[in-house]
Amino acid sequence: MNFISEYILKNPPVLLGLIAMLGLIIQRKSFSETVKGALTAAFGMVALTAGVNMLVGTISPINIAVQTQLGVEVTEGLSDVTFTAEYGGTVGLAMFLGLVIHLLIARFTPVKTIFLTGHMLWWFPFVFVAAGVEAGLSGGALIGISGILSACYWSFMPWIMRKYVWDATGDDSFLIGHPTGVLSLVSGFVAKRVGNKEKSTEDIKVPENLSFFREISITGALVMFLMNTVVGIIAPVLIPEGDNLLMFSIEAGLNFGAGLLIMLYGVRLLINQIIPAFQGIAEKVVPGAKPAFDVPILFNYRPNAVIIGFIVAMITSTILVVLANSFHLFGVLLVPLVITSFFECGGAAVIGEGQGGFRGAVVGTIAASFVMVVLAGFSAIVFSTTIQSWILIFGGNDLSLWGMIGRGFSGLFGGF
């Protein structure tokens, strides 16, 4: 179980390569086609992961600098180390139980989701275990409830937002398995009512000598350059000792732009290989199943909306964070949600664009940003003794919402 957890389920390239291989074998493809398809799917996931890591590596220092400037305890990395050290085994067992239930749901109910976002197979049990600990659960009850809640999220959330995803992509062969769910639903709901599909973000007309703005990598690089420059002035701790603000910002912008290019290349490789291969599994093992992928898959369809969503979310959420901190609304010092603004709100902007064009992307993202800050604030209160510092950086999304739901549900069984 430990081998499967550590080296397959938490290793997305290996996981998706094996799934592609299984699908091609079921379809009785030739040995050559099977090897090519499996390895290309794995390569695509490696490229996608490398691109995402470059983006996170560029964004994270901004979070840390702002935290330091505000006097908030700095938490680096993607996990609360202390909590993981104590409850890591419990999280692993909850993940295995959740996966079994998740596959049973796909096989025997009309909800045909197969959740393939590897790292989220870990982070949702992580959050649900923390919710259970907050409620006073331990032992088998903690594992059982965390596993059931994880299976429910993996199965139902991608399925609930499927029509929004299909409208945005024009492709009903896959789902999105990522914490952008609640923000995308809010964005799509609002965008459908206030937007105009006829005016798309992808049809934005710019003067010929400014046409480079249509390239997501260039626009993203410029946005990140400006963001680092502004934050570097406000929070000088962002700039390493002996470094120069201008050159640091230029390098951050270049890394961000390159990360976008690498990520989108990986997305194209993955889509071209894993979707056809997955059909074999859908036909033979879980009839009608739809794979649920990481949110960068969406970015390839409406790249302008992603950057627009990122800018709108950063401006809106930062203003709201300042107001919340000024009036002590949550009793917790919030920090700008830079990572959530890019990934989750970027996805929400694509969904909003699919429902209401340019206006839908902007207004939908503004609405999602309000929800993001509220979720971050309340979930930080809920997880006050376990993963509060972690949720302040990576929350404001489904991790916050379902974590609070998990806390309420676990509270019904507290003490068992």
Side-chain angles (χ1 to χ4, degrees), residues 42-386:
F43 295 156
M45 195 64 223
V46 169
L48 190 158
T49 302
V52 168
N53 287 341
M54 288 182 70
L55 298 178
V56 173
T58 307
I59 293 171
S60 291
I62 296 175
N63 270 113
I64 295 171
V66 173
Q67 283 180 283
T68 303
Q69 191 70 25
L70 292 174
V72 180
E73 181 182 353
V74 177
T75 302
E76 300 186 37
L78 291 175
S79 67
D80 186 299
V81 177
T82 303
F83 185 79
T84 302
E86 185 170 352
Y87 291 99
T90 303
V91 174
L93 290 171
M95 179 175 68
F96 275 108
L97 175 61
L99 280 170
V100 171
I101 299 171
H102 171 55
L103 293 175
L104 290 174
I105 291 172
R107 181 64 181 84
F108 296 108
T109 76
V111 180
K112 299 298 182 182
T113 308
I114 300 294
F115 199 95
L116 296 179
T117 307
H119 57 296
M120 290 302 163
L121 293 175
W122 170 266
W123 291 122
F124 276 95
F126 172 85
V127 168
F128 289 132
V129 167
V133 171
E134 293 281 359
L137 292 179
S138 61
L142 179 60
I143 294 169
I145 292 174
S146 299
I148 291 169
L149 290 170
S150 298
C152 289
Y153 179 82
W154 297 330
S155 296
F156 296 114
M157 200 62 180
W159 198 252
I160 291 170
M161 62 181 292
R162 68 190 185 283
K163 292 184 178 178
Y164 279 156
V165 171
W166 296 346
D167 282 347
T169 63
D171 185 350
D172 65 358
S173 65
F174 66 89
L175 309 170
I176 294 300
H178 188 272
T180 185
V182 63
L183 302 184
S184 290
L185 289 172
V186 168
S187 178
F189 179 84
V190 172
K192 187 173 183 177
R193 285 151 182 80
V194 303
N196 180 3
K197 276 190 175 184
E198 295 180 3
K199 295 184 178 180
S200 170
T201 56
E202 306 311 305
D203 297 330
I204 296 174
K205 299 191 185 307
V206 295
E208 186 64 31
N209 59 349
L210 296 178
S211 60
F212 58 83
F213 278 112
R214 292 186 58 82
E215 294 290 335
I216 183 175
S217 56
I218 294 175
T219 306
L222 292 173
V223 168
M224 193 53 59
F225 165 76
L226 292 173
M227 185 177 296
N228 275 271
T229 301
V230 171
V231 174
I233 294 171
I234 298 172
V237 69
L238 173 67
I239 313 303
E241 187 175 349
D243 210 337
N244 176 273
L245 172 61
L246 177 62
M247 296 310 300
F248 179 87
S249 300
I250 289 174
E251 184 176 350
L254 292 174
N255 286 335
F256 192 82
L260 284 171
L261 287 175
I262 294 169
M263 180 188 72
L264 293 175
Y265 176 70
V267 166
R268 285 191 286 271
L269 278 180
L270 192 59
I271 290 176
N272 290 340
Q273 295 300 323
I274 197 68
I275 296 296
F278 191 82
Q279 298 311 308
I281 296 174
E283 291 169 7
K284 303 290 185 181
V285 182
V286 184
K290 304 284 186 182
F293 295 126
D294 204 351
V295 74
I297 296 289
L298 275 181
F299 296 173
N300 194 47
Y301 289 87
R302 299 173 190 261
N304 287 348
V306 177
I307 296 300
I308 290 170
F310 179 35
I311 296 171
V312 171
M314 273 304 304
I315 293 172
T316 306
S317 64
T318 300
I319 292 172
L320 292 173
V321 164
V322 171
L323 290 174
N325 289 339
S326 299
F327 291 97
H328 306 288
L329 293 183
F330 301 106
V332 177
L333 195 61
L334 303 183
V335 296
L337 295 154
V338 185
I339 293 175
T340 306
S341 291
F342 181 75
F343 289 101
E344 279 82 353
C345 284
V350 173
I351 296 299
E353 212 279 349
Q355 295 298 310
F358 178 86
R359 190 193 309 158
V362 173
V363 179
T365 304
I366 290 174
S369 299
F370 273 85
V371 174
M372 174 175 67
V373 173
V374 171
L375 288 176
F378 281 117
S379 61
I381 298 171
V382 168
F383 291 104
S384 60
T385 64
T386 51

Side-chain angles (χ1 to χ4, degrees), residues 20 24 28-40 273:
L24 292 167
R28 298 183 178 179
K29 297 293 185 181
S30 69
F31 177 76
S32 176
E33 289 176 301
T34 300
V35 171
K36 178 182 177 182
L39 288 178
T40 304
Q273 295 300 323

